[in-house]
Amino acid sequence: MPEGPAPAPVTQRLRVRYAKRGRLRFTSHRDISRAVERAVRRAGIPVAFSAGFTPHPKISYTGAAATGVASEAEYLELGLTEPRDPARVRDELDAALPDGIDICDVVIVPPGSGKPSALADRLEASEWRIRLDGVAPDGAERAVNAFLAAESVEVERLTKKGRRRFDARSAVSAMGLDRRAVEASDAPCAILRMVVRHTTPAVRPDDILTGLRQVADLAPPSPPLVTRLAQGPLDPDTGDLADPLDPDRNTQPAGDDAGAAGGAVLGNPGAASADAVSA
């Protein structure tokens, strides 16, 4: 057993929404976690550590986007040994991180609200934007209609356990052509918006593009540009995504300055990002 005093206990937990933009979209999740750990130390945030021979900072990640995909809605959780104003943590951590990893929102996790997995349970679906350069909007719309009309669209993907076939259609809650974005674009393209449920196995944007190619021979001449706009609870009636941090924000005690500061949202998690990235 390692000798020495036990690590300081966690007295406060913070949930953080951050964005992955620009060139940082090509950074692996491991490199992003290293950058966050360095930024936490640089900002002087009193993060708690695990016990054992190789203590690790108590930072957990949920629902991370793949390398090469931009995102406006990535989430992590910090365990702190001392209470901190979430607005201060947001500003100091954002200043310490490299450009392209931007802290958007920080809220206090109410005591007794469950383990970090409670946040993962709220991330039921993601909203995606996919830009297809060189694709005619009318052709993309016909492909979308064919995909949505199909009862199932089986695709195949190579996984760690070998090739697997699964239905990509059942995971898509909504999909359509964003004509307003197409009209504002700087080059001929089609821009798709879709809401995809988090399933097992996970259905990714490239799986849906494979399905569009199967049902309508939609084959973009250049790599698609993919951005996750939001992820959170899915309203079965409206099909909209809610902010997964709202339950924490709404349970802050009245008059709690720290909680009020943590409830300030910087930007809409469902707003369109200025970054479009190569999938």
Side-chain angles (χ1 to χ4, degrees):
M1 296 294 291
E3 299 179 356
V10 173
T11 61
Q12 184 188 59
R13 286 193 289 145
L14 299 176
R15 284 179 177 150
V16 179
R17 177 171 69 89
Y18 67 97
K20 185 174 64 166
R21 300 166 174 155
R23 292 182 300 174
L24 269 296
R25 63 191 182 266
F26 297 113
T27 304
S28 69
H29 177 65
R30 178 177 295 181
D31 288 336
I32 286 180
S33 64
R34 289 172 179 168
V36 170
E37 291 179 16
R38 289 195 297 268
V40 165
R41 291 195 299 268
R42 192 176 299 120
I45 298 172
V47 66
F49 281 80
S50 63
F53 289 101
T54 56
H56 298 286
K58 292 195 173 183
I59 305 174
S60 58
Y61 298 83
T62 302
T67 303
V69 174
S71 177
E72 294 295 306
E74 302 295 284
Y75 293 92
L76 63 85
E77 184 167 307
L78 299 171
L80 306 186
T81 59
E82 300 174 11
R84 282 291 187 271
D85 179 355
R88 175 184 170 186
V89 171
R90 179 194 63 205
D91 294 342
E92 293 178 346
L93 188 57
D94 187 59
L97 283 165
D99 292 339
I101 303 178
D102 302 312
I103 304 299
C104 305
D105 195 8
V106 179
V107 300
I108 297 174
V109 181
S113 64
K115 299 179 180 180
S117 59
L119 177 60
D121 294 337
R122 300 176 192 169
L123 305 182
E124 299 174 349
S126 289
E127 181 181 1
W128 299 93
R129 182 183 64 196
I130 302 179
R131 173 169 169 154
L132 306 173
D133 286 316
V135 173
D138 291 341
E141 190 168 38
R142 286 193 295 269
V144 167
N145 292 337
F147 183 93
L148 294 178
E151 292 186 3
S152 67
V153 179
E154 287 197 350
V155 299
E156 188 176 84
R157 189 207 308 155
L158 181 62
T159 68
K160 295 180 180 179
K161 297 182 179 180
R163 291 197 170 274
R164 295 192 62 178
R165 291 189 64 84
F166 52 90
D167 180 17
R169 172 63 186 91
S170 61
V172 178
S173 173
M175 179 165 58
L177 182 72
D178 190 340
R179 288 196 174 273
R180 181 178 299 178
V182 169
E183 293 171 358
S185 64
D186 54 356
C189 67
I191 298 177
L192 305 182
R193 296 278 289 264
M194 61 187 70
V195 176
V196 183
R197 298 182 187 89
H198 295 174
T199 59
T200 303
V203 174
R204 307 182 310 201
D206 55 309
D207 297 322
I208 296 170
L209 292 175
T210 299
L212 291 171
R213 184 169 62 249
Q214 290 180 186
V215 300
D217 198 28
L218 182 69
S222 60
L225 309 175
V226 181
T227 302
R228 173 150 60 190
L229 303 178
Q231 58 175 327
L234 178 63
D235 188 320
D237 297 325
T238 66
D240 295 332
L241 294 181
D243 186 343
L245 300 184
D246 274 346
D248 304 315
R249 188 177 294 113
N250 295 336
T251 54
Q252 299 301 325
D256 186 340
D257 293 338
V265 180
L266 300 184
N268 182 353
S273 166
D275 294 299
V277 301
S278 178

